[in-house]
Amino acid sequence: MTLNILFAANAQRWADYETHLHAALSDLGMIDYQLAEQIDPKDVDYIIYAPDSALQDFTPYVKSKAVLNLWAGVEAIVGNPTLHLPLARMVDPSMTQGMMEWVTGHCLRHHLGMDTHITATPGTWEPSAPPVTWDRKIAVLGMGALGAACARSLAALGFEVHGWSRSLKQIEGLITHHGPDGLRNALNGADGVVLLLPKTPETENTLNGDTLPFLAQGAFVLNPGRGPLIDDAALIEALNSGQIGHATLDVFRIEPLPQDDPYWRHPNVTVTPHIASETRPAYAAKIIAENIRRGEAGEPFLHLVDRNRGY
Ligand code: NAP
């Protein structure tokens, strides 16, 4: 029987994904299927989904087997009360690679103090060498697909990396902490912190007026996770006082970041427009196709979201 696969995302994404999805399904030997932007809901077997899709009511999708999210973050769909289907999120090697590059690049910028020399007045000669990486402590909050990969690449460069997660983890080359009590030890005296937590009620404002002072004076903050992980007013205050030396922020409570947001003009803030890591269609299509194959073979889906935990 023909498999009906609905693509529920905006028109630009359909243009980006259509060819790659056909290729990935065909590579897995799937021939008898329909892949389309419009299919009668009662006939749909799988829903490939982006949370900014017009589809918000899953009630009519009575025979569907799974919703396959194109994004890593699921905060915009996980609480949908009409969704009772298994929900898989996107974990893809190209997204992980992109995040590792963004995080290590921005860590090295701050570690090496690159701005000092890039923005120096020509003719000034003020040698100031940074310490080596193994004299720097970096805290990575979130030890999931992205956080653990970034932590490993920072550790490979020599940084003393402390990872923090909800549950206990043992990862070679890293010092790990977990649970609410572990946060202070992860942050304590760190020269930099990287936020790669999902947005859930528990993770909101993880960096706030109480936790920012755990960091070393002049530490840097990198947030490629989600805007609400940081209490913005507390961060601005810490930047103004010099407690935080620089913040490089890729994600915000409101995106695009409003023109009048103080982050745009703060001299010690770098704003990047939610580009730390993209879902790349050629790679993501393979993950989606593999999950459809698994569903049809009766095998467990990859990267299922735990609806109770919210990620
Ligand atoms: P993931 O695999 O689900 O990992 C999440 C990590 O956060 C896990 O280690 C988890 O702990 C930890 N965590 C969750 N709640 C916690 C809590 N209350 N206390 C302590 N630790 C907690 O997620 P991922 O794939 O690494 O992605 C992380 C986030 O990155 C996504 O949710 C998304 O928001 C963001 N992201 C941003 C971009 C971008 O371009 N800026 C791109 C992709 C993703 P356990 O291991 O114990 O479960």
Side-chain angles (χ1 to χ4, degrees):
M1 214 160 59
T2 302
L3 201 60
N4 291 307
I5 307 169
L6 177 70
F7 189 88
N10 68 37
Q12 181 55 53
R13 282 187 218 284
W14 176 240
D16 293 342
Y17 272 91
E18 185 183 5
T19 309
H20 293 296
L21 283 167
H22 282 301
L25 290 163
S26 151
D27 284 351
L28 293 180
M30 282 180 236
I31 301 160
D32 190 10
Y33 68 85
Q34 176 193 192
L35 171 67
E37 288 182 286
Q38 299 291 337
I39 301 176
D40 188 335
K42 72 174 179 0
D43 297 328
V44 170
D45 295 292
Y46 294 93
I47 304 171
I48 301 172
Y49 190 72
D52 60 358
S53 157
L55 197 179
Q56 296 297 327
D57 180 7
F58 292 90
T59 316
Y61 294 85
V62 287
K63 71 173 265 220
S64 300
K65 296 167 198 162
V67 173
L68 308 172
N69 204 40
L70 292 171
W71 300 357
V74 290
E75 69 274 12
I77 180 179
V78 76
N80 186 318
T82 68
L83 179 63
H84 302 288
L85 300 165
L87 169 66
R89 68 195 194 90
M90 182 52 64
V91 176
D92 122 62
S94 71
M95 183 188 285
T96 306
Q97 178 66 21
M99 189 59 83
M100 282 180 351
E101 293 179 16
W102 190 92
V103 166
T104 50
H106 285 280
C107 268
L108 286 173
R109 170 192 173 195
H110 297 302
H111 161 62
L112 295 172
M114 288 177 171
D115 293 15
T116 309
H117 305 291
I118 291 169
T119 60
T121 310
T124 54
W125 187 260
E126 289 173 16
S128 61
V132 287
T133 51
W134 55 74
D135 290 332
R136 298 267 205 210
K137 169 175 173 177
I138 308 288
V140 180
L141 308 187
M143 285 285 98
L146 299 176
C150 292
R152 281 197 195 92
S153 62
L154 292 172
L157 286 168
F159 289 107
E160 179 189 311
V161 182
H162 290 242
W164 183 63
S165 50
R166 198 179 54 88
S167 58
L168 174 66
K169 296 243 177 319
Q170 284 188 326
I171 304 175
E172 201 183 334
L174 309 181
I175 300 158
T176 51
H177 310 270
H178 70 283
D181 296 341
L183 180 60
R184 184 175 188 146
N185 287 336
L187 294 176
N188 207 18
D191 301 289
V193 57
V194 181
L195 290 118
L196 275 167
L197 297 161
K199 178 191 174 297
T200 70
E202 287 76 36
T203 60
E204 195 149 340
N205 294 328
T206 296
L207 276 194
N208 57 43
D210 293 329
T211 54
L212 282 163
F214 296 155
L215 295 163
Q217 181 73 21
F220 63 84
V221 172
L222 302 186
N223 187 11
R226 283 291 182 264
L229 301 176
I230 297 180
D231 175 339
D232 295 311
L235 178 59
I236 295 273
E237 200 179 316
L239 284 159
N240 289 342
S241 73
Q243 161 66 28
I244 296 301
H246 198 102
T248 298
L249 309 172
D250 186 56
V251 285
F252 305 91
R253 283 171 198 269
I254 302 173
E255 295 182 11
L257 187 63
Q259 284 299 320
D260 60 353
D261 194 286
Y263 282 143
W264 281 118
R265 273 162 290 281
H266 199 290
N268 295 337
V269 173
T270 301
V271 167
T272 63
H274 202 143
I275 46 73
S277 193
E278 270 288 307
T279 310
R280 282 136 176 116
Y283 297 92
K286 293 181 200 290
I287 310 293
I288 298 283
E290 170 61 13
N291 254 344
I292 293 173
R293 186 201 68 73
R294 283 169 169 256
E296 291 311 285
E299 296 173 20
F301 291 112
L302 296 170
H303 317 308
L304 277 182
V305 170
D306 179 329
R307 306 288 293 281
N308 294 321
R309 287 187 328 197
Y311 68 95

